[in-house]
């Protein structure tokens, strides 16, 4: 009878502990969300002008820190290693800009000037298709909104405008690179200073968690940047081969939006198909005819690039520490895009991955029942944490005999 009561109490205690764990987790999530909103609303939003440079600086640190650390291990002082790595990075970036930027600027200017003509051809094509199908649709109203005077036309004009905000963009890039260099040089000092603010008994735990977060976020940033570079250059080459006009612009869009997981590669196909169906120009090596031949060729080129990325490049380049369910990724992208637009979509996956690491660590170390220090050691001859029933009965029998004497 005593054994039954003890087992029932044990089961009841486990159920209460489980409910308590989920209650603590739920209130912790609510508290983190409220704290995040307050920090964003009253700390980050008033100084949002520094968000761009800090993000660029953080990306530079995550990208170059492994190389600087490797040079430091070989005996090169960190400041000289940072300077050497920075010069190499700027040299590669400058050479790429020297050959790609003029081509991009020229094609984007030409594309911006050809947008009204391309929209008119798209409207004529849509009218012919709807006429053959016998559907009466006011196609003109849709395409008038895409003209330079319409809402969408104004949006397109802003995208391909090089005069508005160019000074702000240059300032953000320069400040981000300067901040990135100083952070790269003083990163060990910053880490030691941050650890000195923590209690001594918690430093190893915090350091281990931060290492895991750094590996996940840093691996994601470095992998995504390299993959985006490959996708952009490979898309440019493939679209040039099939003869798509403005191939450099579409390839740059493919590389940029490839930074956004899952939905980014599909966005790059839209301008390629739009140009293929509305242009009258051709070129490249294959010189496919405008219309369906060029559209199929462009789609096939982008598909081949994506398949190489998905099966060869990304599995070997992008860190596998970021393991998130596709539904979690989609929800993170929606929330990030709603809050911060394109920046939010770029940062959604690493932030969600970091939050997952922190939540799992908290669950494993703070939400166990019974606590690790109170958990009994496994007895010999029985399962972990349980005494054999026969052994307990024998102890109780001896106690009754002793008390009777």
């Amino acid at each position: 009878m005593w054994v039954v009561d003890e087992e029932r109490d044990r089961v009841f205690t486990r159920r209460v502990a489980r409910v308590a764990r989920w209650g603590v987790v739920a209130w912790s999530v609510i508290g983190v969300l409220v704290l995040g909103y307050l920090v964003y609303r009253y700390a980050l939003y008033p100084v949002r002008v520094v968000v761009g440079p800090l993000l660029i600086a953080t990306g530079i640190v995550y990208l170059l820190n492994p190389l600087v650390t490797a040079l430091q291990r070989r005996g090169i002082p960190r400041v000289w290693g940072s300077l050497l790595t920075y010069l190499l990075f700027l040299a590669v970036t400058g050479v790429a800009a020297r050959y790609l930027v003029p081509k991009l600027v020229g094609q984007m200017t030409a594309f911006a000037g050809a947008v009204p003509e391309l929209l008119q051809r798209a409207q004529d094509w849509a009218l012919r298709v709807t006429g053959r199908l016998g559907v009466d649709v006011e196609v003109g109203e849709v395409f008038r909104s895409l003209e330079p005077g319409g809402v969408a036309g104004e949006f397109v004009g802003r995208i391909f405008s090089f005069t508005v905000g160019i000074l702000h963009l240059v300032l953000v890039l320069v400040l981000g690179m300067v901040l990135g260099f100083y952070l790269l040089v003083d990163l060990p000092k910053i880490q030691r200073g941050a650890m000195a603010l923590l209690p001594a008994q918690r430093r190893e735990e915090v350091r281990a968690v931060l290492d895991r977060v750094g590996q996940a976020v840093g691996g994601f940033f470095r992998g995504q940047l390299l993959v985006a570079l490959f996708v952009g250059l490979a898309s440019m080459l493939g679209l040039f081969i099939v003869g798509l006009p403005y191939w450099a612009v579409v390839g740059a869009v493919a590389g940029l939006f490839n930074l956004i997981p899952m939905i980014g590669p599909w966005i790059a196909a839209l301008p390629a198909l739009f140009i293929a169906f509305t242009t009258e120009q051709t070129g490249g090596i294959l010189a496919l005819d405008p219309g369906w031949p060029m559209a199929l060729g462009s789609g096939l080129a982008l598909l081949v690039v994506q398949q190489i990325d998905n099966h060869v490049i990304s599995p070997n380049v992008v860190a596998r520490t970021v393991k998130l369910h596709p539904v979690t990724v989609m929800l993170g992208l929606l929330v990030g895009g709603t809050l911060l637009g394109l920046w939010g979509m770029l940062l959604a996956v690493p932030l969600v991955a970091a939050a997952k690491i922190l939540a799992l660590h908290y669950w494993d170390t703070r939400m166990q029942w019974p606590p690790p220090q109170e958990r009994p050691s496994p007895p010999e001859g029985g399962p972990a944490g349980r005494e054999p029933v026969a052994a307990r009965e024998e102890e109780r029998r001896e106690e009754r005999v002793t008390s009777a004497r």
Side-chain angles (χ1 to χ4, degrees):
M1 193 67 181
W2 291 340
V3 176
V4 175
D5 292 340
E6 185 176 348
E7 290 294 331
R8 185 166 51 195
D9 293 340
R10 189 187 299 273
V11 172
F12 178 75
T13 304
R14 290 174 181 173
R15 291 178 180 176
V16 172
R18 188 177 303 172
V19 173
R21 290 172 67 182
W22 283 108
V24 171
V25 169
W27 281 109
S28 299
V29 171
I30 295 174
V32 169
L33 292 177
V34 173
L35 180 61
Y37 171 77
L38 294 177
V39 171
Y40 169 76
R41 179 66 179 85
Y42 296 103
L44 297 180
Y45 186 78
V47 293
R48 59 189 179 277
V49 68
V50 303
V51 173
L54 283 179
L55 290 178
I56 294 176
T58 304
I60 291 175
V61 170
Y62 275 121
L63 184 64
L64 302 182
N65 184 57
L67 182 58
V68 175
T69 304
L71 293 176
Q72 187 179 11
R73 290 173 180 171
R74 293 181 176 272
I76 300 177
R78 188 170 183 86
V79 60
W80 292 109
S82 301
L83 183 60
L84 180 62
T85 306
Y86 233 69
L87 291 178
L88 179 62
F89 173 73
L90 292 178
V92 174
T93 306
V95 171
R98 167 65 180 83
Y99 291 98
L100 288 179
V101 170
K103 180 64 69 175
L104 281 173
V105 171
Q107 289 195 10
M108 291 181 74
T109 304
F111 180 69
V115 165
E117 182 180 358
L118 297 178
L119 290 175
Q120 182 62 42
R121 290 175 184 168
Q123 178 180 350
D124 297 338
W125 175 81
L127 288 174
R128 290 196 301 269
V129 171
T130 54
R132 292 176 182 177
L133 296 176
V135 180
D136 187 13
V137 180
E138 292 294 335
V139 182
E141 294 295 332
V142 177
F143 283 91
R144 271 193 289 273
S145 65
L146 299 175
E147 294 178 355
V151 177
E154 183 181 357
F155 174 71
V156 173
R158 288 183 179 180
I159 290 179
F160 298 101
S161 177
F162 296 99
T163 57
V164 179
I166 191 67
L167 181 61
H168 179 264
L169 178 61
V170 172
L171 182 62
V172 168
L173 290 175
V174 172
L175 289 178
M177 296 184 70
V178 173
L179 289 175
F181 178 76
Y182 282 108
L183 290 177
L184 195 61
V185 173
D186 295 332
L187 186 61
K189 296 180 182 179
I190 296 174
Q191 292 176 344
R192 288 194 297 268
M195 287 298 167
L197 299 176
L198 300 174
Q201 63 272 19
R202 297 297 183 186
R203 290 176 186 172
E204 292 301 325
E205 179 184 4
V206 173
R207 184 179 289 109
V209 175
L210 291 181
D211 288 341
R212 292 174 56 193
V213 173
Q215 290 175 3
V217 177
F220 177 82
F221 270 120
R222 289 188 294 269
Q224 286 296 102
L225 289 176
L226 294 176
V227 168
L229 179 62
F230 164 78
V231 170
L233 296 178
S235 299
M236 291 181 186
L237 178 62
L239 296 176
F240 172 76
I241 292 175
V242 302
L244 183 75
Y246 318 114
W247 50 268
V249 176
V250 180
V253 172
L256 176 63
F257 282 95
N258 198 79
L259 294 172
I260 303 175
M262 300 183 67
I263 64 175
W266 298 98
I267 298 177
L270 298 179
L273 297 178
F274 172 74
I275 295 173
F277 280 118
T278 56
T279 187
E280 293 182 350
Q281 305 176 19
T282 187
I285 298 176
L286 299 180
L288 299 179
D289 295 331
W292 282 106
M294 185 177 291
L296 292 176
S298 301
L300 181 61
L302 294 177
L303 180 62
V304 169
V305 172
Q306 289 298 326
Q307 292 302 312
I308 296 176
D309 172 31
N310 294 333
H311 295 90
V312 179
I313 305 298
S314 291
N316 296 313
V317 174
V318 180
R320 298 184 180 181
T321 51
V322 182
K323 298 179 180 180
L324 298 175
H325 195 274
V327 176
T328 305
V329 175
M330 290 298 298
L331 292 177
L333 292 174
L334 291 175
V335 174
T338 303
L339 294 178
L340 297 176
L342 180 61
W343 286 111
M345 298 181 73
L346 294 175
L347 297 175
V349 174
L351 290 179
V352 172
K356 175 186 175 182
I357 293 174
L358 295 175
L360 290 179
H361 176 78
Y362 185 81
W363 180 271
D364 293 337
T365 58
R366 301 295 188 275
M367 300 299 296
Q368 295 181 359
W369 185 267
Q373 63 272 17
E374 299 179 5
R375 192 174 288 178
S377 59
E380 297 181 359
R386 294 185 181 179
E387 288 182 280
V389 177
R392 291 199 299 269
E393 288 293 335
E394 183 66 25
E395 291 180 358
R396 294 191 182 93
R397 189 179 300 109
E398 292 179 358
E399 290 178 357
R400 286 197 296 269
V401 171
T402 304
S403 60
R405 290 178 180 175

